[in-house]
Amino acid sequence: MDGTELYRKVMLTISGSKPVKRLSLKYGRRLARKFIAGEHLEDALQQIEILNSRGIMVTLDHLGEGITHLDEAEGYRDEYVRLVDGIAERKVNANVSLKPTQMGMAIDGEACYRNISAVVRQAAGHRIFVRIDMEDSPFTQRTIDLVTRLHSDGLTNVGTVVQAYLFRTMDDVRTLAKAGVKLRLVKGAYKEPASIAYQRKSDVVSSFKRIIRFHLDQGIYTAIATHDDTIINWVKEYARRNRLPKTAFEFQMLYGLRSNEQASLAKQGYRIRCYMPYGSMWYPYYTRRLAEKPANLMLVLKNMFH
């Protein structure tokens, strides 16, 4: 296990501690703003307009996951309907990301499906795409089943995410490609056991390249979510060698990270999309960002002293 992977595991373990969470929620809100567009939809829509003016597309996420009551899910559903309408009214270049557990997946699968399908139908009316985020492994198959069910019900403006660190991912990619489901390709940000996931960074990177190559070789529009320059440069070179147009894929990065690089990719003619979260339920998202690499923690600490 390399140093970065050890750091990630330690950070995810610490952040799961109840005392650490209480302290973070009490004192960390200002620091979290580095990664969060704001607590309200209007804050996020304003930030989307700024990014669009720089040639950067957006996927907008209303923060929330792991609810305990279905009425919470209904609240998230209603906010997403409002979010979709807001994107359409402002005519910004953005699609939508949501998490299945915030819509009730862990409580009632059918209620979750009804909530998500309501959002997807509203988005379809505005020709807006909805991405169902992939959470940790207990929800992998259920999320895939939900998305393929939406497609079978005629709601094809919806896709999901696959995580390169899971052993199963290449098989999932082939299955979903046949079903015409659009995917975001990521390395993976949750703490998963060695029985189901690669633990070494080199193995994760190799898996990531395999699924990217498969997508590009199949002529499937490919969304590659990474801040890793090694991967970005590899994709650029692979596309150049195989004479793939820059419109065949897009890079995706997170709000608040590598903003200059996002603008630079846009100026180079690449399609670049920023994953932009907003809302008050920021703690789980924030801790995963800090756990990804030590540089993110150092960035927050630097901001704290300014």
Side-chain angles (χ1 to χ4, degrees), residues 43-112:
D43 299 328
L45 291 172
Q46 290 175 2
Q47 292 301 312
I48 293 174
E49 289 177 337
I50 292 171
L51 290 180
N52 283 175
S53 72
R54 298 171 183 165
I56 299 169
M57 305 175 292
V58 169
T59 185
L60 187 58
D61 170 65
H62 179 54
L63 290 168
E65 55 193 273
I67 62 166
T68 56
H69 301 285
L70 283 178
D71 56 351
E72 297 175 76
E74 292 169 0
Y76 283 122
R77 177 200 64 204
D78 294 345
E79 176 66 12
Y80 264 96
V81 169
R82 195 168 74 89
L83 182 163
V84 166
D85 289 341
I87 289 173
E89 289 167 9
R90 293 285 273 268
K91 296 182 171 59
V92 290
N93 188 345
N95 60 30
V96 173
S97 288
L98 60 81
K99 288 183 171 55
T101 59
Q102 75 185 136
M103 297 293 178
M105 179 171 277
I107 302 171
D108 185 327
E110 283 303 308
C112 174

Side-chain angles (χ1 to χ4, degrees), residues 1-10 201 291-294:
M1 183 184 300
D2 63 24
T4 300
E5 187 61 29
L6 177 61
Y7 165 82
R8 188 175 77 87
K9 288 183 177 296
V10 170
K201 180 180 178 181
E292 283 174 346
K293 56 183 179 179

Side-chain angles (χ1 to χ4, degrees), residues 246-259:
K246 292 177 179 178
T247 54
F249 56 92
E250 68 181 49
F251 294 113
Q252 296 189 1
M253 295 187 183
L254 299 171
Y255 180 80
L257 293 175
R258 306 202 68 189
S259 300

Side-chain angles (χ1 to χ4, degrees), residues 149-169:
R149 180 179 170 186
L150 287 165
H151 270 248
S152 67
D153 286 346
L155 295 170
T156 58
N157 62 312
V158 63
T160 190
V161 182
V162 292
Q163 302 173 113
Y165 65 176
L166 295 179
F167 298 154
R168 62 175 289 168
T169 295

